[in-house]
Amino acid sequence: AGIAYTRIHRLLYTQQLLTMTANARLAPCRRVWCTLFLLCIVVFSSCATVMAQESDNGAAASAESGSSSSESKGSEEAPKKEEPQSPKVKQNNASSSSSSDDWGSFYDPNNIFCGKYDCYKILGFDYETWGSAPPTLKEITKSYRGLSRLWHPDKNKAKGAREKFVAIAKAYEILTNSEKRKEFDYYRDRPDEYFQKYGSSVLWTYAPKSDASIIGLVLFILANLFTYYAQRNKYDKVANHLIRAAVEDWSAREGGSTESIEIREKALAILAENREKAIEAAQSNGDTPKKKEKGPRLTSKEKREKEQVELRPICAKLVNEIDDFGAGFRKPTYKDLLVIKMVKWPYYLGSATLWWSKYGIRRMRKLELNAEEREVLTKNAVGEVAWAASSDEERATMVTLELWVSDNLVEWREEQDMKREGLSANKRKQIKKLRKKGSGGDYGNDDDLHLD
């Protein structure tokens, strides 16, 4: 009765779990009625199965009693204390291995262990009857060897012998592995936990913990590479602008500078020298200069484009020889790595804090600005790029203009805009006078004047 109750309880729990999984998306009312209906079917089928098994067990018990009585004629009866020993393996018993119907049942839809059969039953053991003395590894091996010889496909040509042999080998593999056997015993009465781990047909295991030190090292290396290539991009941006200004002969109004003009002059000199060398080489080889073929003459635009094509590689080579354009626009070095900057940050922060502290104390004492303070304030007002691009004379002029005052800074920037527009000194003076008088908009009706 206890065995039947356990099996009925297991079947009911398994069927309920499968029913709840299949009908998870149905409406609540419909799910309840379907579940009750299936439970009724399971109860009736289980009762019929139990009754059939009881009749079979009765017949088997009568047969065993007859055989035991014949065997006990030449031996003494064992004491009652020795009755709960582990059952002996019946390797040659046809009822234990001739049919897969005697292999029990197990909830294993994903075939993690022995599929729908019980691994113990396959090797002739009964999990429900051995009590506190489970079969040992020696007993499992002995049973496996007997059954494997019996159902080996080379010796047994019966139908299904190969499948039985594979199942026996699988059961032996599971039960001889301590971890697999322990897991198999654990999930025997816990189909819900089996479903949580294996029910989705996806086998999972916990991934090993990542080493935080390795991750931090990788991120730190990537940060250093980022700062290095950021400095490279900063340098390339100025270099490309300078090459284009030199090749296309930009004026100050178009974005050119004294450096671009100097590079263009050097490039033109190198180009002329290369042409002379080419002519001399041709003459030394005895080649006579070819006469110009008659054809359409090149326009001035085509000539200029041809010259630019010849000048571009020369200008690029000259610009790449410049390692530092000033204002932080330089080729990247090891100093641009993040680790070097992090080492220097405390020094920069401390020096800046000390300088501004002294500046605040001097302002509180109402002292005049010294030369260093004037230079720092002017540099901060005009910007690092404009300060680096200026000559020593221009820097001295900017310091005397007191550009840290907002009005002076606005006036200075307007004058710089007029210089870039290409206005003469007289025109700039006229514009200043007109602004002082309060008139604006029309400064001599010059079409070339475009000021904000």
Side-chain angles (χ1 to χ4, degrees), residues 1 30 38 48 160 190 267 362:
R30 183 181 177 185
L38 291 174
R190 297 175 178 85
R362 289 179 61 84

Side-chain angles (χ1 to χ4, degrees), residues 210-220:
S210 301
D211 192 352
S213 60
I214 297 177
I215 297 175
L217 180 62
V218 172
L219 293 177
F220 186 71

Side-chain angles (χ1 to χ4, degrees), residues 241 245 250-257 260 420:
H241 177 83
W250 284 357
S251 62
R253 182 177 179 180
E254 295 172 339
S257 61
S260 63
R420 282 194 294 269

Side-chain angles (χ1 to χ4, degrees), residues 360-373:
I361 294 172
R362 289 179 61 84
R363 298 289 70 75
M364 293 173 62
R365 296 174 59 185
K366 297 181 180 181
L367 299 175
E368 294 184 358
L369 295 173
N370 55 29
E372 182 183 2
E373 292 174 344

Side-chain angles (χ1 to χ4, degrees), residues 370-409:
N370 55 29
E372 182 183 2
E373 292 174 344
R374 288 176 176 272
E375 182 176 344
V376 172
L377 293 175
T378 304
K379 183 179 179 180
N380 293 337
V382 301
E384 187 177 358
V385 177
W387 181 264
S390 303
S391 60
D392 295 338
E393 296 178 356
E394 292 174 343
R395 292 178 183 177
T397 303
M398 287 189 288
V399 170
T400 57
L401 294 176
E402 298 183 356
L403 298 181
W404 56 87
V405 181
S406 59
D407 294 337
N408 297 339
L409 181 62

Side-chain angles (χ1 to χ4, degrees), residues 12-256:
L12 288 175
Y13 190 85
T14 304
Q15 189 67 28
Q16 183 180 2
L17 179 61
L18 294 175
T19 304
M20 292 175 63
T21 306
N23 300 330
R25 297 183 179 178
L26 297 178
C29 182
R30 183 181 177 185
R31 182 173 55 202
V32 171
W33 285 107
C34 292
T35 304
L36 292 175
F37 178 72
L38 291 174
L39 287 175
C40 292
I41 295 174
V42 171
V43 169
F44 285 118
S45 61
S46 300
C47 292
T49 304
V50 170
M51 293 175 65
Q53 287 182 353
E54 287 178 355
S55 61
D56 294 340
N57 292 334
S62 61
E64 288 178 359
S65 61
S67 60
S68 61
S69 61
S70 61
E71 290 177 357
S72 61
K73 291 180 179 180
S75 62
E76 296 181 356
E77 293 182 357
K80 294 182 179 181
K81 295 182 180 180
E82 297 178 356
E83 289 180 359
Q85 291 181 353
S86 60
K88 295 182 179 180
V89 180
K90 299 179 180 179
Q91 298 178 359
N92 298 325
N93 190 0
S95 63
S96 65
S97 57
S98 61
S99 176
S100 60
D101 296 338
D102 301 332
W103 285 357
S105 63
F106 191 84
Y107 181 74
D108 186 18
N110 290 328
N111 296 322
I112 305 300
F113 304 105
C114 297
K116 63 181 180 179
Y117 300 114
D118 189 347
C119 295
Y120 290 108
K121 279 282 189 178
I122 293 174
L123 296 181
F125 302 100
D126 192 352
Y127 184 85
E128 305 293 343
T129 59
W130 68 53
S132 60
T136 62
L137 183 61
K138 184 178 180 180
E139 294 174 343
I140 293 173
T141 304
K142 183 179 180 180
S143 177
Y144 164 73
R145 289 176 179 175
L147 293 174
S148 62
R149 286 194 300 267
L150 178 63
W151 293 104
H152 198 282
D154 295 340
K155 298 180 179 180
N156 194 331
K157 302 299 181 181
K159 185 178 180 180
R162 181 179 296 275
E163 290 75 10
K164 292 181 181 295
F165 178 78
V166 172
I168 292 168
K170 180 67 174 179
Y172 176 73
E173 179 185 354
I174 297 297
L175 297 181
T176 53
N177 188 328
S178 59
E179 294 182 0
K180 284 288 186 181
R181 182 178 179 180
K182 184 177 180 180
E183 188 178 12
F184 176 75
D185 294 339
Y186 179 80
Y187 287 132
R188 171 174 291 277
D189 297 324
R190 297 175 178 85
D192 53 342
E193 297 188 21
Y194 176 95
F195 181 78
Q196 290 179 0
K197 184 173 182 180
Y198 300 112
S200 60
S201 300
V202 178
L203 305 183
W204 56 268
T205 55
Y206 290 103
K209 294 182 178 180
S210 301
D211 192 352
S213 60
I214 297 177
I215 297 175
L217 180 62
V218 172
L219 293 177
F220 186 71
I221 293 173
L222 292 176
N224 282 274
L225 294 176
F226 175 77
T227 55
Y228 183 87
Y229 283 104
Q231 179 62 33
R232 182 69 189 184
N233 185 42
K234 188 177 178 181
Y235 171 84
D236 291 340
K237 187 176 181 180
V238 177
N240 294 333
H241 177 83
L242 189 59
I243 292 171
R244 185 179 178 185
V247 171
E248 298 181 6
D249 194 15
W250 284 357
S251 62
R253 182 177 179 180
E254 295 172 339

